[in-house]
Amino acid sequence: MSHVENETASQPECWRRAAEVAIGRAAALPATGERVAVVGCGTSYYMAQAYAALREASGQGESDAYAASEFPFGRAYERVVALTRSGTTTEVLDLLSRLRGTTRTVVVTADPHTPVKDAADEMVLLDFADERSVVQTRFATTALTLFRAHLGLYTDQAVRDAETALAEPLPDGVLECTQFSFLGRGWTVGLANEAALKMKEASLSWTESYPAMEYRHGPISIATSGTATWMFGAAPEGLADQVRSTGARWVESALDPLADLVRVQRLAIARAQARGLDPDLPRHLTRSVVLDGAAGA
């Protein structure tokens, strides 16, 4: 098995451990009422989007998400949360350096032996969710589970749903589809963005992602026989029938949306293998983006 297959399969146990970490490290994470920004790059940015939407929607404080390179330094935040699996990503380290002494920062990472340990005021470590594959799976979902648990939104059902997502066959016909549109609402928009990225990275698939209500405003024109539209969470009324009328395959699930993301991870791996690709080593990608000639972790 590839590293990413093993790492994908380990997610239920990682989520259980993340919920325990959330209890033990609660003081390091944003308090209710704080104005918070969450930052990351790539997959971590999309998890930041999901977390920020969950936090604000649950009434726990104004929450924004940014790609680390696009942080608005003119805005005041009481705390900035940075996500970085490797702890070496240049944009994240540069951002934390600029914020030092002016804004309280906390980093969630998988590696305590990288430069990020000295860049943030506090660190929450998820080393048990670190990965050997370039492609992120379990670190991303474990970090989001940590945040959900801290917000009081973690349930054992999510873990059971992840186990189901790992055990059940993939939806009929999706492996053969030629194009994928992933849709979300609220916090699941971040999951849709991550699903599209995962399919691109691992399997070089043609993918897009949108807020579900925006899909009708142009993107649905791509839907046809041989394409799939995959919805995370509850769909807007009438959208499923509208997509089916195009001839496209409609995919939805009663599973927890984060568990549904596990199904997409499995699909990305399966498509990569069917195409003779190595899902651990996507082309043009490295584990961490380190600029200025520095070596990545």
Side-chain angles (χ1 to χ4, degrees), residues 114-193:
T114 55
V116 79
K117 70 179 187 300
D118 299 316
D121 296 321
E122 296 191 77
M123 179 173 67
V124 177
L125 183 62
L126 301 175
D127 53 351
F128 55 87
D130 203 357
E131 296 157 329
R132 296 180 65 181
S133 177
V134 168
V135 172
Q136 280 201 52
T137 53
R138 72 182 181 190
F139 176 75
T141 62
T142 299
L144 187 52
T145 298
L146 170 86
F147 295 137
R148 293 177 82 183
H150 180 66
L151 295 172
L153 302 176
Y154 169 83
T155 66
D156 290 335
Q157 185 60 51
V159 177
R160 291 192 292 270
D161 283 354
E163 292 170 338
T164 298
L166 289 165
E168 289 186 346
L170 292 171
D172 290 342
V174 293
L175 191 60
E176 294 74 35
C177 287
T178 59
Q179 188 273 346
F180 299 83
S181 295
F182 295 99
L183 311 180
R185 303 184 79 178
W187 74 282
T188 69
V189 172
L191 301 188
N193 291 338

Side-chain angles (χ1 to χ4, degrees), residues 13 18-20 25 27 47 85 113 140 142 187 215-216 227 268 270:
E13 181 56 29
E20 296 172 358
R25 298 291 287 132
M47 295 300 101
R85 176 181 62 172
H113 306 297
T142 299
W187 74 282
Y215 188 60
R216 293 183 172 104
T227 71

Side-chain angles (χ1 to χ4, degrees), residues 8 11 15 141 148 157-166 168-171 174 182-184 187-188 191-192 194-195 198-199 229-234 250-268:
T8 297
Q11 287 174 105
W15 295 7
T141 62
R148 293 177 82 183
Q157 185 60 51
V159 177
R160 291 192 292 270
D161 283 354
E163 292 170 338
T164 298
L166 289 165
E168 289 186 346
L170 292 171
V174 293
F182 295 99
L183 311 180
W187 74 282
T188 69
L191 301 188
E194 167 58 9
K198 208 53 48 196
M199 294 288 288
T229 303
W230 190 303
M231 181 73 212
F232 287 95
W250 172 261
V251 183
E252 61 184 340
S253 174
L255 298 175
D256 182 275
L258 192 57
D260 200 20
L261 180 60
V262 174
R263 295 204 302 165
V264 177
Q265 294 170 347
R266 290 182 56 215
L267 175 60

Side-chain angles (χ1 to χ4, degrees), residues 240-290:
D241 289 340
Q242 190 173 359
V243 169
R244 292 189 183 105
S245 72
T246 70
R249 185 172 299 277
W250 172 261
V251 183
E252 61 184 340
S253 174
L255 298 175
D256 182 275
L258 192 57
D260 200 20
L261 180 60
V262 174
R263 295 204 302 165
V264 177
Q265 294 170 347
R266 290 182 56 215
L267 175 60
I269 295 166
R271 281 181 62 83
Q273 293 170 336
R275 301 182 67 182
L277 302 171
D278 183 349
D280 284 332
L281 297 171
R283 67 180 186 182
H284 314 314
L285 297 179
T286 57
R287 174 178 160 86
S288 172
V289 176
V290 181

